Amino acid sequence: TTTRTNRIMADLTVNINESITLNNQVIESSDTRTITGIGEISKRILTITTNEATIATFSGAVASAGHYNDSAVKYMRFTNLDATNFLTLTFTNNANDEVAIKVDAENSFILYADNSGGMVAIFNATQAADADSDTALGNLTTIQADANTGNCDLEMVIASV
């Protein structure tokens, strides 16, 4: 058994740049976010079928293949690599609230974690969710995915401290 005592940490820098010329006027915007202390990165390309399947699970347990420590995850990006079909990501929390996000062909969805708690207490998706209240926010427990009409390749990046 090998014990890892000197864990290497790195900074993850995420850049979002927007640029458009409209009516001969250039409008640009950029946002750079640096997430410090990243010690683990998972980058996978998954084939998503038309049958909903779990692609990641989360809890307070130690991370393992396909399972992530919910308080350690700081960043997630999902990119639909398909040129035609959309896919749906369904996020479930510990109260069994679900929110479904459509990721169209060649588009991405990014989820930054809570600065202090990771994926703990990040969303409430009940029909009567109160956007002004954080009292019912739940911990992310599962992400499922399914494609609309044909298989899609999904690039999934998850960064953890």
Side-chain angles (χ1 to χ4, degrees):
T1 304
T2 302
T3 303
R4 204 164 106 184
T5 56
N6 294 327
R7 187 169 183 183
I8 297 173
M9 301 295 192
D11 292 346
L12 171 65
T13 302
V14 179
N15 297 305
I16 299 174
N17 297 304
E18 302 158 343
S19 179
I20 185 171
T21 302
L22 185 61
N23 294 329
N24 294 321
Q25 183 179 29
V26 176
I27 302 168
E28 297 179 324
S29 178
S30 67
D31 179 55
T32 299
R33 170 100 187 260
T34 301
I35 304 166
T36 60
I38 298 298
E40 180 177 310
I41 190 108
S42 171
K43 180 180 177 184
R44 301 174 59 199
I45 295 180
L46 307 159
T47 299
I48 306 302
T49 69
T50 56
N51 297 314
E52 187 176 62
T54 299
I55 60 171
T57 59
F58 303 82
S59 74
V62 175
S64 59
H67 180 81
Y68 303 88
N69 180 289
D70 56 5
S71 63
V73 173
K74 298 299 180 185
Y75 171 86
M76 295 190 293
R77 176 181 54 81
F78 305 88
T79 299
N80 181 353
L81 301 175
D82 195 85
T84 306
N85 298 302
F86 73 83
L87 58 85
T88 303
L89 299 172
T90 303
F91 297 82
T92 306
N93 69 15
N94 58 317
N96 286 322
D97 299 329
E98 291 186 333
V99 60
I101 306 292
K102 178 182 178 180
V103 182
D104 212 348
E106 300 179 332
N107 285 329
S108 294
F109 176 75
I110 295 174
L111 181 60
Y112 291 103
D114 177 75
N115 288 335
S116 62
M119 294 295 160
V120 174
I122 63 162
F123 79 91
N124 178 350
T126 62
Q127 189 171 8
D130 181 356
D132 294 328
S133 173
D134 65 357
T135 58
L137 297 176
N139 304 352
L140 179 62
T141 58
T142 307
I143 302 173
Q144 296 179 305
D146 64 302
N148 72 316
T149 58
N151 292 355
C152 296
D153 284 338
L154 171 70
E155 182 176 69
M156 178 175 75
V157 176
I158 299 178
S160 305
V161 294

